[in-house]
Amino acid sequence: MNPLIKKLVIVIVIIIVLSGIYCGSYLPFRKSQFYINAQTGLRGVRSLDDFNNLFDPALGFYSPVGQDEVVSGYLQTLISLTSQQSNKELIDILVKQAEARTAPILEKEKGFNFSQNIYNLAAIYAVSAIKFNDDIYYQKGVETFRLGLKHSPNRQMFLYGLFNLYQFKGDKEGMKEIGETILKYWPDDLQILKSVAPVSNKQ
């Protein structure tokens, strides 16, 4: 082999190896570091700006892997925050942020944490709907839980989440439909049996 070509091949191989290390190891490691820092810094949060300044580095840092996992953790934190907060204006902002972070994942319709991210967003809607008796969040919650069932028809977390929303709203038809599906897979669930039986008796 021509010495010049040989040197060129070696250089190309080195570049490929270093690029692989950088993209496959360093970038995911840095992203995980940002996320860990965000989680450990939560106790010091005193405002929405503090919260966003904690999580934005992890959510915005590019890595070929890890974004779906970081978004999932972020959404789970938002579920906790929406459960604790009584400020509707703040909840509205947090929900919008959740939607913005989840939108690229939903558009891909795939990913390591795809189903979990759908559930987390649906749970944020559900908590907000129940806390404020908000019809818009209720409808979004129903639609998002149903989106989860479209991709995972028998997934327990989607079925129970949707059933609980229907029960909150007093939607007897919805309770009957989802309750019967739950009982098909978990026939010993007495709570669902008690909830569905009165609905069925009225038919």
Side-chain angles (χ1 to χ4, degrees), residues 4-186:
L4 182 60
I5 295 177
K6 186 176 181 179
K7 287 180 181 179
L8 182 60
V9 170
I10 292 173
V11 169
I12 291 173
V13 169
I14 291 173
I15 291 173
I16 292 172
V17 170
L18 291 177
S19 297
I21 294 172
Y22 181 75
C23 294
S25 298
Y26 175 74
L27 292 179
F29 173 72
R30 285 296 291 152
K31 192 172 187 70
S32 67
Q33 278 188 322
F34 284 130
Y35 177 70
I36 292 169
N37 290 341
Q39 287 294 336
T40 55
L42 278 171
R43 289 189 178 183
V45 168
R46 295 291 179 270
S47 68
L48 180 62
D49 284 341
D50 288 345
F51 179 75
N52 289 336
N53 288 336
L54 264 182
F55 278 91
D56 283 352
L59 291 163
F61 185 81
Y62 171 75
S63 171
V65 296
Q67 180 68 9
D68 289 6
E69 292 81 0
V70 169
V71 170
S72 179
Y74 170 73
L75 294 179
Q76 287 171 7
T77 301
L78 290 186
I79 292 171
S80 177
L81 288 178
T82 52
S83 300
Q84 298 167 15
Q85 280 292 331
S86 57
N87 185 325
K88 177 67 160 55
E89 184 178 348
L90 178 58
I91 295 296
D92 290 342
I93 294 171
L94 292 176
V95 171
K96 283 185 173 61
Q97 292 184 180
E99 291 172 335
R101 295 298 183 180
T102 314
I105 294 172
L106 298 184
E107 288 174 8
K108 288 190 303 182
E109 294 192 341
K110 61 181 180 180
F112 183 71
N113 277 45
F114 181 62
S115 290
Q116 187 62 53
N117 277 313
I118 293 177
Y119 174 80
N120 290 339
L121 181 60
I124 291 171
Y125 287 140
V127 170
S128 303
I130 293 170
K131 183 180 284 288
F132 300 105
N133 195 21
D134 188 296
D135 288 338
I136 294 176
Y137 287 146
Y138 169 78
Q139 191 57 45
K140 286 186 174 183
V142 168
E143 291 171 0
T144 308
F145 278 128
R146 289 223 174 249
L147 175 64
L149 288 173
K150 175 184 173 183
H151 291 276
S152 304
N154 308 328
R155 198 70 175 267
Q156 190 176 32
M157 61 185 182
F158 294 129
L159 289 168
Y160 278 89
L162 187 54
F163 183 87
N164 290 337
L165 258 189
Y166 282 143
Q167 189 172 43
F168 157 74
K169 201 66 173 177
D171 185 336
K172 304 298 184 183
E173 288 298 322
M175 288 172 61
K176 181 175 183 294
E177 175 202 353
I178 300 302
E180 289 177 350
T181 302
I182 291 173
L183 292 173
K184 184 166 66 173
Y185 299 103
W186 299 279

